[in-house]
Amino acid sequence: LEQALGTTMALFVDCPPGLLKMRVLGRRHCSCCGKTYNVSDFQAAGYDYPPNMPPAACLPHVTTRKDDESEETFNRRMEIYRHESTPLLRFY
């Protein structure tokens, strides 16, 4: 990579997978205004992510999740991420 792209470093952001999963599975979308909200409430190990609840006007229009925001999809994406990022972490 260094020779091909001139890349000399990489940024690695370490976030607990449980937090990521909770945030992904907590997403809710309003079909009326198009905004995204998050109903998950995560407060542990120095993290404080209170829910971002939709306003009352949006509640009748809030869908549960997009089709790709399932636990199965999350797990598959995390496995791909680990598989593809581990060699980069070792290199840098």
Side-chain angles (χ1 to χ4, degrees):
L1 282 177
E2 205 170 313
Q3 292 174 350
L5 302 175
T7 304
T8 58
M9 71 175 84
L11 175 66
F12 175 67
V13 179
D14 191 15
C15 185
L19 172 58
L20 293 174
K21 182 184 281 189
M22 180 178 262
R23 298 295 291 173
V24 168
L25 299 181
R27 289 184 193 148
R28 300 295 184 267
H29 308 276
C30 178
S31 61
C32 185
C33 71
K35 290 185 179 179
T36 300
Y37 301 95
N38 201 302
V39 299
S40 65
D41 187 3
F42 188 89
Q43 296 175 358
Y47 294 94
D48 185 13
Y49 292 99
N52 175 21
M53 301 299 287
C58 287
L59 289 178
H61 310 284
V62 173
T63 60
T64 53
R65 294 184 191 129
K66 290 182 178 178
D67 291 341
D68 69 339
E69 294 174 338
S70 69
E71 189 167 356
E72 178 182 319
T73 301
F74 175 84
N75 291 337
R76 186 175 69 248
R77 287 179 177 167
M78 284 302 296
E79 185 57 38
I80 292 168
Y81 170 78
R82 284 185 202 103
H83 176 74
E84 293 182 358
S85 66
T86 299
L88 290 173
L89 292 172
R90 287 188 191 132
F91 183 82
Y92 288 102

